[in-house]
């Protein structure tokens, strides 16, 4: 049973920083890739960043240069460092992992609120 548990969300002023964590119940090296998604109220869930076991990353254009995705296999955890936060970054952030058979696993989400 794969479980993903996010933490680190909260309330921050615009321009501030937050670091999200996603702890997996299994060895994250087994995943094809891991990612962070976010969903704002009334909007579709969107990909924020993705990382492969080899460390290749890609980002949504809206967060490039401000957010950094990383992973620690020793801790079976992935992270999302978010800097220079904007009000439009607010929403629920979800951790996602894809198995090598393309099965998706999702965390329960962590709330990020950015005050202007």
């Amino acid at each position: 049973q794969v479980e993903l548990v996010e933490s680190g969300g909260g309330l921050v002023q615009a321009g501030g920083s937050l670091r999200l964590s996603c702890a997996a119940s299994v060895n994250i090296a087994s995943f094809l890739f891991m990612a962070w998604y976010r969903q704002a109220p009334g909007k579709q869930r969107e990909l924020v960043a993705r990382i492969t076991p080899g460390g290749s990353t890609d980002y949504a254009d809206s967060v490039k240069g401000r957010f950094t995705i990383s992973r620690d296999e020793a801790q079976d955890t992935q992270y999302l460092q978010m800097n220079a936060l904007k009000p439009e970054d607010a929403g629920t952030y979800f951790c996602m992992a894809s198995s090598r058979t393309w099965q998706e696993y999702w965390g329960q989400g962590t709330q990020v609120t950015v005050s202007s």
Side-chain angles (χ1 to χ4, degrees):
Q1 182 77 7
V2 175
E3 290 187 8
L4 302 173
V5 180
E6 302 100 333
S7 60
L11 171 64
V12 65
Q13 286 189 331
S17 298
L18 283 174
R19 188 194 195 203
L20 306 183
S21 299
C22 170
S25 62
V26 298
N27 185 346
I28 64 172
S30 66
F31 295 133
L32 185 62
F33 66 89
M34 296 185 75
W36 288 97
Y37 282 74
R38 69 185 180 192
Q39 187 168 20
K43 294 189 177 182
Q44 287 189 329
R45 191 173 296 190
E46 63 174 351
L47 175 67
V48 175
R50 183 167 50 194
I51 187 167
T52 67
S56 296
T57 59
D58 60 89
Y59 297 90
D61 287 344
S62 60
V63 306
K64 282 181 181 176
R66 299 187 297 121
F67 290 12
T68 302
I69 188 171
S70 62
R71 51 189 278 135
D72 183 343
E73 290 190 4
Q75 299 293 325
D76 290 324
T77 300
Q78 76 159 351
Y79 303 97
L80 186 68
Q81 178 67 42
M82 305 186 294
N83 298 328
L85 282 160
K86 304 176 181 179
E88 53 263 42
D89 293 319
T92 303
Y93 282 69
F94 297 91
C95 175
M96 178 267 190
S98 175
S99 75
R100 296 182 186 275
T101 57
W102 298 98
Q103 180 159 2
E104 294 183 356
Y105 302 96
W106 292 86
Q108 82 288 351
T110 186
Q111 187 68 35
V112 172
T113 304
V114 184
S115 63
S116 57

